[in-house]
Structures are given as structure tokens and as C-alpha cells.
Amino acid sequence: MAHKSTIFLSTTSVLLIVYVSLFSVLQHSGKLRDSSLKTHETRYFDSIEEESEPVKKEPSFQARNNVLEVVNYEQTVPHNRVKRNSAEEKEDELKELPIIHVITPTYKRMNQIPEMTRVANTLKNVKSIHWIVVEEGNQTLPEVKQLLIKSGIDFTYLSAKPYKNLTTSLKGIHQRNKAIFWLRKNVDLSKDGVVYFADDDNTYDLELFEEMRYTKKVSVWPVGFVSRRKYQTPILKNGKVIKFNAWNTENRKFPIDMAGFALNTKMFYYNPQLYFWKTFRVGYQETMFLEICCLLSDLEPKGNGCTKVHVWHTKARDPIIEHSSYNDTEQASTNHKYEMKKEKVSSIGKARKKST
């Protein structure tokens, strides 16, 4: 019995010595601190005390899963909360802008391509625009179509035959009507947009299109070089149109040039009869057209209170070609013969006047 107690005491003392030694080692290495005392500062100094940098460990499965959940959440974030690049923002901006539908009648002639090129170079700098070009005749022309494609403008290219059995010559109404009827079939006219009649022989300032873009009913502005005038313009009083400085104001309710107004697309939606009638009088197309859909009080003056001109009639004369070249077209030779005959008649008339 005494032998067993001696073995027990010796074993206990050995364990006690090992425990004391282990405790001193842990205390010396600083690993046995009270966790309640490990504040931010102690954690910082603990990292400083370590001679080597901590080994980077692979994230656990749970950590990786958390990361995947974050990624999936970001992919399902609503559209307006996702950070988007400038191209996407510009695209949405264009979608929000009211579209301007520019209707341009044209016909084959020597200077058709140069004049259409001038208009195209203007329109290609206008945002959210749709160019409807209507060729006079049975079919469209490949050279005009190529010009439209090259311009990069959103376009529709149509053709229209002149009306038969008309007692008067109403220039361009068959082409403008073709574009209006196309819009009625292919565009939702109940939404805000703009319709503008832009002939191919005019010159346009870019500011004109930005001013007309938010037309509520009918917007108006001055037009340069019309009816042997430097310009014709609406006259305002207290910001409202009361009369016009134009040709034949006595007999026309709206003495406005075709290039001097634009309409909201809703005007066509609410007025099914809004188009150019065959019974319109020559020289009265604009006023008879506008009388269908609006009153004088509906007009919205643009152009800085109708004090600035942003569109001009600058029709170019057909060139006189004296020497043919290898790529002359039949139209060029026809125009040349016409101009020569015209000059001959003019010279004969002058000679007769001198003789008298």
C-alpha cells in the first residue's frame, strides 16, 4: 500500500511540473490573454509582435458561398440601381427624346444630290430624328438611297405619283400626303413627337430642331428669303402671336411658309382630316392646312420670341453645263438643252425690246 501511494505521489508531481512548465511557456508567448481584453489596440499589437506575416488561408466554403450570394444579388439589382456606362445612358436619353419626323419631298434634277447632301449633313447632327424622303415618280432612285444610307440617319424612302385631274398645280402635296399616310399606318401618333415639312432646297440651323422638339400643338418661327422679303415672321404681343409680317396677310389666316411651322404628332391623331386636300388653293396650302387643326391662340412662337431666323430659302439654280463629260447622265443633257433654249428665248426677248 505504501508502495502504491509513493508511485501516485511521484506521478502527480511529474504532471504538476509539466503543467507549470507549459503554463509558463504559454504566458511568455502571450497566447494566454483574456479574450475580453483583446480590443482593437491589442489585436493590432499582437500582429506587430509576430515576427512573420500570417499565412493566408483559403476561404471556407461558407465564405465562398457568401461571395456568390453577393454576386447574384448584384445581378438582380433593379435596372436603375446598376451602374451603367455612358453609351447606355445616351441610348436611354435618345429613347426619352420626342422623335422629329422630317418630311422632305424631292425630285430628280441636276442639283438634287448636292442639295440633299446639304440637308443630310445638317440632319445627321440632330438627335432622335426620322427622315422621310418622298421621291416624285413611280419609283425611288438608287443614288438618293445610297446617299441616305451613307448619312447614317434613320430614314424612310418612298415614292409618290402626282395627282391626276387637278385643276390647279399644288406643288408637292402628293409627296407630303404620302408621308402623312405612312406615319398614320406605321407610327403611334398618340405619343408625343414632331412632324416638320423640310424641303430639300432650304438651309437649316441645328438650333431650329432643338426648339421644335417639345412642340405641344403647333410651333412657329421666322423664315428667311420668302416672297421677295428678307424674312417673314409672326408678330407677338405679350408672348402670343397676334398677326404676321408676310405676303397676303389680308386673305390668309395663317400666312406662314411651309418651313415656318411644326406640329405635334397628336394633332394628326386627333384630326383624321389633317392632310393636304386636292381642293386647296394655290398659294394657300399652309393656311388651309393649319385651319383644319388649330387656332391663332394655339401657335407657340420659337426662335427667341420670333426674333431669330434659323431657316432660309436658298434654292440653287440648275448648273449650265457647256462641256459634256464621260459620266454625264441623260438628265444632265436634258437640263443643258433646256437652259440653252431658255437663254436663247431670253436673248430674243431682249433684242425685241431694244428694237422697239
Side-chain angles (χ1 to χ4, degrees), residues 49-61:
E49 290 174 1
E50 294 179 356
E51 295 181 357
S52 60
E53 294 182 359
V55 179
K56 294 182 180 180
K57 297 181 179 180
E58 289 294 328
S60 63
F61 172 81

Side-chain angles (χ1 to χ4, degrees), residues 95-137:
K95 289 180 181 179
E96 295 175 359
L97 287 175
I99 298 176
I100 301 176
H101 303 279
V102 178
I103 298 173
T104 301
T106 187
Y107 61 98
K108 186 174 182 178
R109 60 194 189 278
M110 281 287 290
N111 57 359
Q112 180 186 27
I113 298 300
E115 297 217 285
M116 288 287 290
T117 299
R118 182 183 66 248
V119 179
N121 287 338
T122 300
L123 297 182
K124 70 195 301 182
N125 294 293
V126 181
K127 298 177 181 178
S128 190
I129 197 164
H130 175 214
W131 195 11
I132 306 176
V133 179
V134 186
E135 191 74 42
E136 185 175 62

Side-chain angles (χ1 to χ4, degrees), residues 4-39:
K4 289 183 180 180
S5 61
T6 304
I7 294 173
F8 176 77
L9 289 174
S10 62
T11 304
T12 303
S13 60
V14 170
L15 290 175
L16 181 62
I17 293 170
V18 171
Y19 178 78
V20 171
S21 301
L22 180 62
F23 179 83
S24 61
V25 170
L26 290 175
Q27 190 175 19
H28 181 267
S29 62
K31 301 295 182 183
L32 198 65
R33 289 181 178 168
D34 188 357
S35 59
S36 62
L37 298 179
K38 286 187 78 72
T39 60

Side-chain angles (χ1 to χ4, degrees), residues 157-254:
Y157 189 26
L158 309 170
S159 63
K161 298 179 182 179
Y163 293 138
K164 297 180 179 179
N165 303 324
L166 281 181
T167 56
T168 57
S169 176
L170 297 172
K171 185 179 179 182
I173 68 166
H174 56 293
Q175 294 163 281
R176 295 186 182 97
N177 282 342
K178 182 83 172 187
I180 291 172
F181 298 148
W182 185 93
L183 283 171
R184 291 188 183 279
K185 291 181 181 180
N186 297 278
V187 176
D188 185 1
L189 299 177
S190 64
K191 296 182 179 180
D192 283 322
V194 176
V195 175
Y196 178 53
F197 301 103
D199 291 346
D200 64 355
D201 56 358
N202 296 342
T203 301
Y204 305 92
D205 190 317
L206 290 174
E207 190 174 344
L208 172 69
F209 299 96
E210 296 311 318
E211 288 198 349
M212 74 171 71
R213 189 179 298 279
Y214 295 98
T215 298
K216 297 178 181 177
K217 289 186 176 181
V218 181
S219 56
V220 294
W221 49 80
V223 179
F225 309 149
V226 183
S227 303
R228 299 184 179 182
R229 296 170 181 263
K230 188 176 181 180
Y231 60 88
Q232 69 176 24
T233 179
I235 297 175
L236 311 183
K237 183 177 181 180
N238 298 325
K240 294 290 185 179
V241 178
I242 57 171
K243 57 182 180 179
F244 298 86
N245 176 15
W247 166 78
N248 195 11
T249 56
E250 297 83 8
N251 301 317
R252 297 191 298 167
K253 184 177 181 180
F254 298 103

